[in-house]
Amino acid sequence: MTDKTIHKTIIIGSGPAGLTAAIYAARANLSPIVFEGNQPGGQLTITTDVENYPGFPDGILGPDMMDLFRKQAQKFGAECFYKHVSKVDFSSSPFKVYVQEEEYLTESVIISTGASARMLGLDAEKELMGYGVSTCATCDGYFFKEKEIVVVGGGDSAMEEASFLTKFASKVTLVHRRDEFRASKIMIDRVLDNPKIEIIKNAVVTDILGSQKDGVSSILLKDTIDGKERNFECDGVFYGIGHKPNTDQFKGIINLNDQGYIVTNPGSTLTNVAGIFACGDVQDDHYRQAITAAGSGCMAAIDAEKYLEDL
Ligand code: NAP
């Protein structure tokens, strides 16, 4: 099916960046279409309470917050669809955006497909995500006051999360699958110097035990050298094993950096293709917060509006 309408802007992705772009684009009369993707609302829909987003002094559930963002965008005329963009063609304007066989034409595109935390792939993590298992220390660390926490990973993220979590936890155990860390020396030294952090090397987490009602009670740890498995008690598990930007559809079409993040011009949301803008975690491997994503979504809509005015 081809929709012959040439839209002013299509927004791909529906986390804080995409839906903020939708609010601003709708209020600028750009009649945005939002393709929400496979995880409508983005990463916030797999967290529980959000307590650090300004304006919600009592906190708000991540999914509820994204419902409010969507409602606000729709109020001004944004059209949101639970559809996943499978392919794009940015070789000439109007640009083409595909949802399987459906083709949509547009004068500008705002990409806000986000990033996904890498997971271990355990069955238990699906059930316990937000109930003791987390991929974001900044978001969830506060809920683990005086608790014992495991952090998985051996890179800078894991080191940073482990150090940060000692502000709340009574004890943090860093579990890494190898003998050597990938992290930078300064980050490793900070962890080694912290009396609240213990390190277990050459071990992988093979299961997480607990329930949504009572949270995490322990993990199963397998020694990678002798193969022995043991139970290890803890109250929470944080993954620090990296993020993967959701840019598979854009490889070879717009500029990505070595890690796959979209490259934007500093201080703006412009990509190397005029008319294509990127905001949120898909172009930010550093801050990765809802509020920074929302801010860059606002920037993308303003950048798109300016681009369309100058056409
Ligand atoms: P990363 O450097 O890719 O490290 C990921 C870590 O997780 C590695 O130690 C890896 O183990 C481990 N891992 C991956 N998959 C695993 C699995 N399935 N099971 C167990 N362990 C697994 O990712 P990152 O730490 O998020 O860092 C990403 C980039 O951001 C880096 O360039 C980093 O320097 C940067 N960063 C910088 C800062 C800072 O400077 N403040 C903070 C955070 C991130 P192996 O080592 O065995 O592969």
Side-chain angles (χ1 to χ4, degrees):
M1 185 207 88
T2 300
D3 169 6
K4 297 265 191 264
T5 318
I6 299 180
H7 299 282
K8 286 195 166 60
T9 195
I10 286 182
I11 297 169
I12 310 176
S14 59
L19 291 176
T20 302
I23 293 168
Y24 275 77
R27 285 174 57 83
N29 283 335
L30 302 185
S31 311
I33 302 289
V34 183
F35 291 127
E36 297 214 19
N38 289 334
Q39 192 177 44
Q43 291 183 75
L44 277 187
T45 54
I46 54 163
T47 62
T48 48
D49 286 309
V50 180
E51 293 189 328
N52 54 4
Y53 199 93
F56 298 96
D58 300 323
I60 180 166
L61 291 173
D64 291 353
M65 186 161 102
M66 296 326 296
D67 284 345
L68 290 176
F69 271 53
R70 183 182 300 104
K71 218 180 258 176
Q72 195 169 349
Q74 287 170 330
K75 177 178 151 186
F76 296 112
E79 286 189 83
C80 301
F81 299 98
Y82 295 142
K83 291 185 173 185
H84 178 73
V85 170
S86 47
K87 200 173 72 170
V88 294
D89 178 354
F90 296 159
S91 57
S92 61
S93 181
F95 305 115
K96 299 187 184 83
V97 169
Y98 296 90
V99 175
Q100 302 307 333
E101 299 310 312
E102 298 170 18
E103 181 185 87
Y104 296 85
L105 304 173
T106 180
E107 290 177 335
S108 70
V109 176
I110 295 175
I111 301 171
S112 51
T113 45
S116 306
R118 282 198 203 117
M119 306 296 256
L120 292 177
L122 306 172
D123 286 339
E125 72 198 6
K126 292 186 195 93
E127 190 197 339
L128 295 174
M129 186 58 63
Y131 298 91
V133 178
S134 171
T135 55
C136 177
T138 319
C139 321
D140 298 328
Y142 185 79
F143 302 113
F144 291 85
K145 276 186 182 159
E146 295 307 314
K147 303 278 187 194
E148 299 200 359
I149 299 176
V150 164
V151 173
V152 186
D156 282 333
S157 291
M159 300 299 150
E160 193 170 66
E161 298 218 339
S163 299
F164 176 78
L165 287 167
T166 58
K167 290 182 187 178
F168 312 101
S170 55
K171 182 182 157 208
V172 174
T173 305
L174 185 80
V175 173
H176 181 39
R177 64 183 175 184
R178 289 191 295 141
D179 195 26
E180 273 177 38
F181 290 123
R182 180 184 295 272
S184 49
K185 188 173 179 316
I186 186 168
M187 305 285 273
I188 299 171
D189 287 348
R190 210 170 284 160
V191 162
L192 294 177
D193 288 345
N194 192 320
K196 274 189 171 180
I197 303 178
E198 266 185 36
I199 292 170
I200 300 178
K201 289 182 181 174
N202 299 314
V204 288
V205 178
T206 53
D207 203 358
I208 303 172
L209 304 160
S211 66
Q212 291 194 350
K213 183 169 165 281
D214 298 320
V216 167
S217 56
S218 66
I219 56 173
L220 283 187
L221 270 184
K222 185 177 177 183
D223 188 299
T224 56
I225 294 172
D226 63 18
K228 283 191 184 145
E229 214 163 33
R230 66 180 165 119
N231 193 58
F232 185 90
E233 286 185 11
C234 61
D235 305 299
V237 184
F238 281 75
Y239 288 181
I241 58 175
H243 281 76
K244 189 186 161 299
N246 301 320
T247 50
D248 286 351
Q249 313 92 313
F250 310 113
K251 271 183 199 148
I253 293 175
I254 52 173
N255 285 350
L256 309 179
N257 71 14
D258 289 349
Q259 290 165 33
Y261 288 86
I262 295 177
V263 178
T264 47
N265 288 358
S268 83
T269 64
L270 276 62
T271 68
N272 65 307
V273 179
I276 310 296
F277 306 89
C279 53
D281 287 11
V282 74
Q283 50 85 60
D284 170 21
D285 66 353
H286 183 63
Y287 296 104
R288 299 201 296 241
Q289 298 301 301
I291 185 72
T292 48
S296 71
C298 157
M299 288 164 63
I302 292 172
D303 288 341
E305 187 187 0
K306 172 86 178 60
Y307 167 80
L308 293 167
E309 261 171 30
D310 293 347
L311 272 186

